[in-house]
Amino acid sequence: MSIEKTIFGTTKDGREVTAYTLRNIRGMRVKISSLGAAIVSVEMKDFAGERKDIVLGYDKVSDYEENGTFFGAAVGRGANRTEGAGFVLDGTEYHLPKNEGENNLHSGPDSYAFRLWDCVKEEEDSVSFHLDSPDGDQGYPGNFSITVTYTLTDQNELKIHYEGESDQTTIVNMTNHTYFNLNGHNCGSVRRHWIRLQASSFTPVKESGSIPTGEIWPVEGTPMDFTKGKVIGEELASDYHQMRLVKGYDHNFVIDGWDQTLRKIAEVEGEQSGITMKVYTDLPGVQFYTGNFLEGVRGKRNMIYHDNSGFCLETQYYPNAANEESFPSPVLKKGEKYDTTTIYQFGVR
């Protein structure tokens, strides 16, 4: 195991951005930037021994400062969508920035994805980034202190561990927004990837804004059913109304048997590379997104990404959970610890 520290670039206001590359004994490499605590690259060999970078991203710090796609970023304080850009907590109404119509997406234009995190710990197999988010930041109550640790194991596991605490009761829903293409970031569409989700239900969205209706629907008999596994593109062009609303898959799937323990929730395989990925989490939901709005994005080495060039599996509390009492609660009480882990484990068939 080893870690290498390099200068990734500088921000528009002249601050230095650092990148940390983790390596394991199997030759896997993971590069993480202090800007957005973002996963910049994940490199491993495919079944033919060819090295592949299997995450979408950028080459320049300036692109990560914009990053409308949220490539690789640690997203917070509240990931995903909040209806009406606000919520009521303990009788007090809080207002968030409106950055997606009348709603809030990923906590607004000043999401943690665009901030420079402090590296607080480096070890041979891990790196930890820290951020202090003051009371009122993004509209949320409480001084919130958050640390995210990335660990690369010799079993090709990329572990993401979030730890946080607030001096007031608040809302916290952290996630990672990496886009994967298991054939390689420059290898076109993920439509032929095979995927299985341990989710027998999902949260349908309203006619506009991609806000959950508050209901939970079974996936059985619909294109949303991945319980037995299937190719992503098999029903991607379906006229199923829920999919037409968002140009494909961009829904929260409800994890079967959620009990706050770490469990496998997804398996994916790249059809060309043979690279596989298993996802584990202790959170109740996962946003399966098929990169429906990537058309024309210029990424690494001038690669032009297109719709469906990557997919996301964003582990989370359900979208708009701050406004839906029936959903698992994203409330972090004063003095309690926010502590959650997601693992992406890679292999080759």
Side-chain angles (χ1 to χ4, degrees):
M1 305 296 296
S2 66
I3 184 170
E4 178 186 4
K5 177 180 176 180
T6 57
I7 304 304
F8 191 39
T10 57
T11 62
K12 292 176 182 177
D13 59 4
R15 293 176 297 163
E16 188 175 87
V17 178
T18 307
Y20 299 82
T21 302
L22 302 170
R23 293 177 171 85
N24 70 8
I25 60 173
R26 299 189 179 190
M28 187 173 170
R29 298 196 293 243
V30 178
K31 185 176 181 180
I32 304 145
S33 165
S34 59
L35 181 60
I39 297 172
V40 173
S41 62
V42 174
E43 297 181 11
M44 63 177 296
K45 293 181 179 179
D46 66 9
F47 76 97
E50 183 179 349
R51 181 170 291 278
K52 300 286 189 178
D53 179 357
I54 57 174
V55 302
L56 277 58
Y58 303 111
D59 290 324
K60 299 177 182 178
V61 165
S62 58
D63 290 326
Y64 279 101
E65 285 187 279
E66 301 295 333
N67 202 6
T69 59
F70 294 89
F71 281 156
V75 177
R77 178 178 313 189
N80 218 303
R81 295 171 173 88
T82 302
E83 186 173 24
F87 56 89
V88 176
L89 182 62
D90 291 342
T92 300
E93 188 171 345
Y94 295 94
H95 300 279
L96 313 177
K98 295 179 180 180
N99 67 323
E100 193 177 65
E102 292 298 304
N103 303 317
N104 175 274
L105 174 65
H106 297 323
S107 296
D110 194 22
S111 176
Y112 297 171
F114 308 114
R115 301 193 191 182
L116 198 59
W117 293 58
D118 294 322
C119 178
V120 292
K121 191 175 183 180
E122 299 173 50
E123 297 186 342
E124 285 189 350
D125 63 345
S126 68
V127 60
S128 298
F129 298 96
H130 180 81
L131 194 68
D132 286 316
S133 180
D135 180 30
D137 187 18
Q138 305 168 319
Y140 293 96
N143 293 293
F144 179 54
S145 176
I146 179 69
T147 299
V148 57
T149 298
Y150 295 92
T151 302
L152 178 62
T153 75
D154 285 333
Q155 290 71 47
N156 282 356
E157 297 170 317
L158 177 57
K159 296 182 178 181
I160 308 176
H161 181 209
Y162 304 91
E163 299 173 276
E165 195 169 3
S166 175
D167 63 359
Q168 295 182 48
T169 297
T170 190
I171 300 294
V172 182
N173 185 20
M174 299 291 300
T175 196
N176 180 274
H177 211 300
T178 295
Y179 292 69
F180 297 95
N181 184 323
L182 299 184
N183 293 328
H185 82 97
N186 56 347
C187 289
S189 174
V190 297
R191 293 177 187 175
R192 293 185 60 80
H193 280 38
W194 178 91
I195 184 170
R196 177 162 55 205
L197 299 176
Q198 302 294 109
S200 301
S201 54
F202 74 105
T203 52
V205 297
K206 297 181 179 181
E207 290 295 311
S208 63
S210 297
I211 300 292
T213 64
E215 303 165 285
I216 294 178
W217 288 1
V219 300
E220 186 176 5
T222 78
M224 313 300 283
D225 191 350
F226 291 92
T227 56
K228 294 181 175 62
K230 66 183 178 185
V231 172
I232 288 175
E234 182 174 326
E235 297 181 275
L236 192 60
S238 167
D239 64 357
Y240 185 59
H241 187 58
Q242 279 291 307
M243 294 177 64
R244 285 194 285 115
L245 289 173
V246 294
K247 289 182 60 181
Y249 297 104
D250 189 9
H251 294 81
N252 171 70
F253 285 76
V254 176
I255 304 305
D256 290 340
W258 177 65
D259 60 1
Q260 300 180 300
T261 62
L262 197 64
R263 63 175 62 215
K264 184 173 71 176
I265 59 113
E267 299 174 78
V268 194
E269 181 178 316
E271 79 288 355
Q272 296 175 17
S273 66
I275 293 174
T276 63
M277 183 176 79
K278 297 177 182 178
V279 185
Y280 300 78
T281 192
D282 51 22
L283 290 169
V286 60
Q287 190 84 7
F288 176 45
Y289 175 48
T290 46
N292 308 327
F293 299 93
L294 289 176
E295 192 63 42
V297 172
R298 185 178 296 275
K300 301 173 188 176
R301 292 173 284 284
N302 286 321
M303 180 68 192
I304 302 298
Y305 299 135
H306 300 284
D307 289 351
N308 312 134
S309 284
F311 69 91
C312 301
L313 288 170
E314 305 159 62
T315 57
Q316 62 183 2
Y317 286 96
Y318 307 167
N320 201 37
N323 291 313
E324 290 288 353
E325 291 186 3
S326 63
F327 287 176
S329 175
V331 172
L332 178 68
K333 293 189 179 297
K334 174 182 176 179
E336 290 187 351
K337 188 175 181 181
Y338 181 79
D339 191 331
T340 181
T341 298
T342 292
I343 301 172
Y344 298 99
Q345 182 177 33
F346 302 92
V348 181
R349 61 164 160 79

